């Protein structure tokens, strides 16, 4: 495909980094320093200019251009770039990154403004936050829209249901509509990845990656520990992200309190959300969190636009005894900082958005994703004539040790495979694999596999 990306900020850079491995990518960025960095570090073409300019777009677009992705920080510039692109080439697929809820409401962009796909970063992150917050033991969550299923990661803690540790998985009454595809276990060598068999078992501290529909994943969470009938969620920060999350939580049986230090913003949120309690105060202040009985809340969710503030609020919450902390980060360096600080779930803003943009616009990447805080990928691979495991049973496939085939898609059928499932040419395999095993998988499947950074 021939792809034009307008804007080389964090989102644009990630998109270019992933897509340029198999497609022809041209990046347009007006900031000279940022432009030079992208051109010098990626195998892409580029123009140092305003990507929303009709003159620049006229130079770039031709009948061979397949996709234009406008992902600058400005909603209006993204819309204008897509509208102009459609006039220059009606056949080009357009994608716009949107932040304002007014632009993402309804279907006005698709119907009236010539935007084929909309990516709302705040909506995507809020959706992920909601699912993690609604399950006691979940620390990561990803939808796989292509097959109508989801991936979740659960932590096995000391307070989980009595007696499940040390018992073989085949003896546990696990929900039938989900599958454990990987267990992460800390050892003296570091974090190990275990492809589970019926004879494997959980120990405290394990992280289990599970695939299934949303209902079965919530059942798995309830299996790990009994749930309260009513959940109490405390949010810090009244950002746009918080707006989306408040809207989503209003559909659940939860009690929500939000602390925001800006009085005018508190008034705005109070008018929008009748069911939530909006508190005008400083959410990083231990006295404030203590006064809100943080230690007895089920989940503390930090939704400010500042990583330092989110980190501080989470640390104070943990000190006070909050059961679970969930936050978001925009700078890659914070991923390891949040992990080392003991934050339960930290969501990478730009990685989530880049994954969603690729899923919506490039079919062969529909299930490409990286789970938070791991070095693993979930990828879709088609069994072609050069695939070395074609016509073999799964048990005979000789896959790398840290690789598991989660699903087999045959025509319209989606199969959770057992060891005797036969892999046929034309099947699509959804594979959960460590990045270190990607080269071995490329040899097995006779193809090039793109990976996220």
């Amino acid at each position: 495909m021939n792809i034009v990306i307008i804007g080389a900020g964090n989102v644009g850079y990630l998109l270019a980094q992933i897509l340029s491995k198999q497609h022809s990518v041209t990046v347009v960025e007006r900031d000279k320093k940022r432009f030079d960095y992208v051109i010098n570090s990626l195998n892409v073409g580029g123009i140092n200019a305003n990507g929303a300019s009709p003159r620049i777009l006229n130079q770039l677009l031709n009948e061979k251009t397949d996709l234009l992705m406008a992902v600058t920080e400005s909603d209006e510039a993204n819309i204008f770039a897509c509208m102009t692109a459609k006039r220059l080439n009606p056949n080009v697929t357009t994608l716009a990154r949107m932040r304002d809820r007014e632009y993402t409401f309804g279907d006005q962009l698709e119907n009236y403004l010539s935007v084929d796909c909309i990516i709302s970063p705040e909506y995507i992150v809020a959706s992920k936050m909601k699912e993690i917050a609604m399950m006691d033991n979940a620390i990561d969550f990803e939808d796989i829209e292509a097959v109508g299923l989801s991936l979740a990661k659960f932590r096995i803690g000391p307070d989980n249901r009595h007696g499940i540790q040390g018992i073989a998985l085949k003896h546990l009454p696990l929900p039938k509509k989900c599958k454990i595809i990987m267990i992460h276990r800390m050892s003296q060598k570091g974090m190990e990845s275990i492809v589970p068999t019926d004879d494997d078992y959980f120990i405290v501290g394990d992280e289990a990656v599970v695939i299934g529909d949303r209902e079965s994943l919530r059942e798995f969470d309830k299996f790990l520990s009994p749930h309260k009938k009513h959940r109490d969620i405390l949010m810090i920060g009244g950002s746009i992200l918080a707006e989306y999350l408040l809207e989503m939580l209003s559909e659940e049986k939860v009690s929500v309190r939000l602390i925001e230090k800006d009085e005018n913003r508190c008034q705005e949120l109070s008018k929008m959300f009748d069911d939530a309690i909006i508190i005008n105060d400083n959410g990083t202040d231990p006295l404030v969190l203590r006064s809100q009985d943080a230690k007895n809340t089920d989940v503390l969710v930090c939704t400010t636009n500042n990583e330092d503030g989110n980190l501080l609020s989470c640390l104070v919450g943990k000190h006070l005894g909050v059961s679970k902390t969930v936050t978001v980060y925009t700078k890659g360096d914070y991923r390891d900082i949040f992990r080392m600080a003991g934050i339960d779930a930290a969501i990478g803003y730009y990685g989530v958005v880049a994954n969603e943009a690729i899923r919506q616009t490039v079919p062969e990447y529909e299930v490409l994703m990286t789970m938070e805080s791991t070095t693993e990928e979930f990828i879709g691979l088609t069994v072609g004539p050069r695939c070395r495991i074609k016509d073999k049973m799964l048990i005979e496939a000789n896959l790398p040790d840290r690789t598991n085939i989660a699903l087999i898609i045959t025509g319209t059928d989606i199969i959770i495979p057992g060891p005797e499932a036969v892999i046929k040419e034309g099947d699509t395999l959804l594979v959960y694999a460590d990045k270190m095993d990607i080269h071995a998988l490329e040899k097995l499947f006779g193809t090039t596999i793109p990976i996220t950074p």
Side-chain angles (χ1 to χ4, degrees):
M1 291 179 66
N2 291 304
I3 302 172
V4 174
I5 298 176
I6 308 298
N10 290 317
V11 172
Y13 183 88
L14 271 175
L15 290 172
Q17 189 174 30
I18 296 169
L19 294 173
S20 62
K21 294 173 182 177
Q22 287 196 337
H23 300 282
S24 174
V25 175
T26 301
V27 175
V28 186
E29 171 57 50
R30 68 190 308 172
D31 183 270
K32 183 64 166 62
K33 184 177 180 181
R34 187 67 187 172
F35 172 78
D36 290 340
Y37 175 74
V38 172
I39 295 301
N40 292 330
S41 59
L42 300 179
N43 183 26
V44 298
I47 297 178
N48 180 207
N50 177 8
S53 164
R55 178 179 61 83
I56 298 299
L57 289 172
N58 190 45
Q59 292 176 15
L60 279 173
L61 300 182
N62 54 53
E63 66 279 359
K64 294 182 180 180
T65 305
D66 300 296
L67 172 64
L68 179 132
M69 310 174 89
V71 291
T72 73
E73 294 286 341
S74 167
D75 291 354
E76 290 75 16
N78 294 337
I79 293 172
F80 186 75
C82 289
M83 292 175 64
T84 304
K86 277 292 189 183
R87 286 189 173 274
L88 295 171
N89 179 359
N91 295 321
V92 70
T93 298
T94 57
L95 176 143
R97 172 189 177 185
M98 296 287 108
R99 299 182 72 241
D100 196 315
R101 289 175 69 228
E102 293 299 321
Y103 287 128
T104 59
F105 179 77
D107 58 2
Q108 59 263 48
L109 283 182
E110 292 95 333
N111 289 344
Y112 306 123
L113 298 179
S114 302
V115 179
D116 296 311
C117 305
I118 301 169
I119 296 296
S120 170
E122 284 73 18
Y123 178 88
I124 299 166
V125 174
S127 179
K128 186 170 178 174
M129 276 186 155
K130 186 201 82 168
E131 293 301 324
I132 295 173
M134 292 304 297
M135 294 186 280
D136 285 335
N137 307 285
I139 57 174
D140 198 6
F141 183 91
E142 287 283 357
D143 273 324
I144 317 168
E145 295 182 4
V147 293
L149 298 175
S150 303
L151 274 177
K153 184 188 291 184
F154 299 91
R155 180 172 293 145
I156 311 300
D159 299 327
N160 286 143
R161 187 184 298 274
H162 177 70
I164 67 171
Q165 290 91 6
I167 298 177
L169 297 179
K170 63 185 176 185
H171 297 311
L172 294 178
L174 299 171
K176 294 182 180 179
K177 293 185 179 180
C178 59
K179 177 184 178 181
I180 303 169
I181 57 177
M182 195 69 67
I183 296 174
H184 299 126
R185 179 171 297 163
M186 185 59 70
S187 70
Q188 293 181 345
K189 299 178 181 179
M191 187 68 79
E192 294 184 356
S193 297
I194 302 168
V195 177
T197 66
D198 286 345
D199 294 322
D200 282 305
Y201 52 86
F202 292 131
I203 64 174
V204 173
D206 281 354
E207 296 176 356
V209 181
V210 184
I211 190 169
D213 58 30
R214 290 195 178 199
E215 183 179 350
S216 64
L217 291 176
R218 289 196 181 189
E219 287 179 9
F220 186 90
D221 186 57
K222 292 177 182 178
F223 164 77
L224 292 178
S225 58
H227 274 226
K228 296 179 181 178
K229 291 185 178 180
H230 190 79
R231 295 182 70 73
D232 179 56
I233 297 176
L234 179 61
M235 296 172 56
I236 310 296
S239 60
I240 295 175
L241 168 61
E243 281 187 37
Y244 282 108
L245 184 55
L246 285 169
E247 190 171 39
M248 294 174 187
L249 290 174
S250 67
E251 301 172 0
E252 303 282 350
K253 294 180 180 180
V254 295
S255 171
V256 181
R257 290 165 293 152
L258 183 144
I259 302 174
E260 165 58 43
K261 62 183 178 181
D262 184 274
E263 184 177 354
N264 292 330
R265 183 58 174 160
C266 286
Q267 292 175 356
E268 292 176 5
L269 293 172
S270 295
K271 292 177 181 177
M272 287 188 278
F273 303 101
D274 296 332
D275 297 334
I277 299 173
I278 311 299
I279 302 156
N280 180 211
D281 220 322
N282 182 2
T284 63
D285 188 335
L287 293 177
V288 173
L289 292 181
R290 187 176 285 111
S291 71
Q292 290 301 317
D293 197 23
K295 69 176 181 179
N296 290 318
T297 195
D298 296 307
V299 191
L300 176 69
V301 184
C302 295
T303 53
T304 76
N305 294 320
N306 181 281
E307 279 97 341
D308 294 334
N310 289 339
L311 176 60
L312 182 56
S313 294
C314 285
L315 289 175
V316 172
K318 278 292 185 182
H319 175 72
L320 294 175
V322 171
S323 300
K324 184 175 181 179
T325 51
V326 182
T327 189
V328 62
Y329 63 89
T330 60
K331 300 172 185 175
D333 292 342
Y334 274 83
R335 180 177 63 181
D336 293 334
I337 293 173
F338 282 127
R339 187 191 313 163
M340 290 185 292
I343 309 307
D344 297 297
I347 300 170
Y349 179 95
Y350 292 110
V352 170
V353 176
N355 280 341
E356 181 67 16
I358 291 169
R359 277 200 294 253
Q360 286 208 28
T361 56
V362 188
E364 60 265 41
Y365 290 93
E366 281 185 324
V367 291
L368 172 68
M369 64 179 71
T370 298
M371 300 295 282
E372 295 288 348
S373 304
T374 74
T375 60
E376 292 163 342
E377 302 274 354
F378 192 66
I379 50 182
L381 295 173
T382 299
V383 179
R386 297 196 301 162
C387 181
R388 296 181 183 179
I389 61 175
K390 182 183 65 171
D391 299 324
K392 291 185 177 182
M393 288 193 298
L394 197 56
I395 198 172
E396 304 170 335
N398 195 27
L399 295 168
D401 292 339
R402 294 159 296 189
T403 296
N404 195 359
I405 295 177
L407 296 174
I408 297 177
I409 303 174
T410 303
T412 58
D413 294 329
I414 299 174
I415 303 166
I416 296 179
E420 295 182 355
V422 178
I423 299 166
K424 297 290 187 180
E425 184 173 348
D427 287 351
T428 297
L429 310 182
L430 301 195
V431 182
Y432 196 86
D434 192 285
K435 286 184 179 180
M436 294 178 66
D437 292 334
I438 294 297
H439 183 62
L441 286 173
E442 289 178 329
K443 288 185 175 181
L444 278 177
F445 284 84
T447 187
T448 300
I449 302 174
I451 60 174
T452 53

